[in-house]
Amino acid sequence: MTERCHDVAVIGSGTVAAALQGAAIADFVLLDGVVTSSVFDDDTDTWTLSTAGGETCRARAVVDCESPCVPWTPDLLGRNEFRGVSFHAAAPDSGFDPADRRIAVIGADATAGRLVGRLIRSGGSVKVFPFPPRRVIAKPRRARHHLCRQAEVVTSPIDAVTASGIRTADGIRHDVDTIICGTGLAVPADFPDDTLLGTGGLTLRQAWRDGMEPYLGIVVHGFPNYFVLSGP
């Protein structure tokens, strides 16, 4: 007997169900338990998912609401010396109020892009420090418009973080009271390689050996129809 194949398997959040139903997708399965492996089958172009409870299912597409990655912060010289507010855009401080603050955004990944409009509207000033090799993720036109109109893009590389802000390689000191890192995510060291296998048995570490390259922040090359809603 052939095992049933669903159109979509959802990992981690029943709230996605309403969106799927709104898009006229009725054949989906919700996996609320711990998913121990997701493996792509090149012959059938489907995913096989297994849970800690011993359940398995097949699906043509996967929506993962629990990113396998963790926020990645560059080990910049002096970063522990900063006396202001500092956090990663992927793990924002829920009580943070940008009003009248002098804000530095290091990197411009998808998570930072989701914050930049609010920062520019109410922050005292916003400076963006591009950080290679992570690529800037394009955001909706309105956010890009605000970024170009009001934020200052600092092109000189970061030399060090100081107690009062950031010093760039050209010797300029940028005094800020808030630093937000939009420098992407990383695969945690304890993440088993066989938890997520794409085409040809590709692992996340193999796919990102030269740096993360997600498409629109939710899709990774080599992992067909696998959508990670919370990044990278």
Side-chain angles (χ1 to χ4, degrees), residues 3 29-34 36-37 48-57:
E3 183 182 3
V29 58
L30 302 178
L31 301 173
D32 291 326
V34 177
T36 55
S37 71
T48 298
L49 299 93
S50 302
T51 70
E55 298 176 277
T56 62
C57 74

Side-chain angles (χ1 to χ4, degrees), residues 105-163:
V105 179
I106 300 177
D109 65 4
T111 53
R114 284 192 285 270
L115 293 176
V116 77
R118 181 166 67 95
L119 299 178
I120 292 172
R121 283 193 298 273
S122 58
S125 66
V126 178
K127 294 185 177 183
V128 177
F129 297 78
F131 195 87
R134 281 149 174 82
R135 181 174 299 172
V136 173
I137 302 298
K139 295 309 295 173
R141 186 172 302 170
R142 183 168 180 266
R144 292 201 303 270
H145 172 70
H146 282 295
L147 182 63
C148 295
R149 180 167 57 86
Q150 296 185 19
E152 176 185 349
V153 178
V154 180
T155 56
S156 182
I158 295 174
D159 183 47
V161 176
T162 68

Side-chain angles (χ1 to χ4, degrees), residues 30-214:
L30 302 178
L31 301 173
D32 291 326
V34 177
V35 175
T36 55
S37 71
S38 301
V39 180
F40 186 73
D41 187 332
D42 293 274
D43 294 329
T44 61
D45 290 335
T46 61
W47 287 90
T48 298
L49 299 93
S50 302
T51 70
E55 298 176 277
T56 62
C57 74
R58 291 173 59 237
R60 297 178 181 85
V62 178
V63 177
D64 190 348
C65 304
E66 299 176 350
S67 174
C69 303
V70 295
W72 180 80
T73 301
D75 189 18
L76 295 168
L77 179 66
R79 71 184 181 94
N80 293 325
E81 305 299 320
F82 183 60
R83 293 196 297 258
V85 175
S86 179
F87 57 87
H88 196 286
D93 181 348
S94 59
F96 174 69
D97 182 0
D100 300 322
R101 285 186 172 271
R102 297 167 297 161
I103 303 168
V105 179
I106 300 177
D109 65 4
T111 53
R114 284 192 285 270
L115 293 176
V116 77
R118 181 166 67 95
L119 299 178
I120 292 172
R121 283 193 298 273
S122 58
S125 66
V126 178
K127 294 185 177 183
V128 177
F129 297 78
F131 195 87
R134 281 149 174 82
R135 181 174 299 172
V136 173
I137 302 298
K139 295 309 295 173
R141 186 172 302 170
R142 183 168 180 266
R144 292 201 303 270
H145 172 70
H146 282 295
L147 182 63
C148 295
R149 180 167 57 86
Q150 296 185 19
E152 176 185 349
V153 178
V154 180
T155 56
S156 182
I158 295 174
D159 183 47
V161 176
T162 68
S164 59
I166 294 174
R167 184 179 69 243
T168 46
D170 56 9
I172 296 177
R173 293 177 177 271
H174 305 267
D175 290 337
V176 298
D177 49 42
T178 304
I179 294 178
I180 300 174
C181 285
T183 45
L185 307 177
V187 180
D190 59 353
F191 183 76
D193 282 338
D194 59 358
T195 300
L196 180 58
L197 298 176
T199 57
L202 182 70
T203 69
L204 271 181
R205 287 190 178 86
Q206 291 171 333
W208 287 333
R209 63 181 179 274
D210 296 323
M212 286 189 173
E213 291 290 341

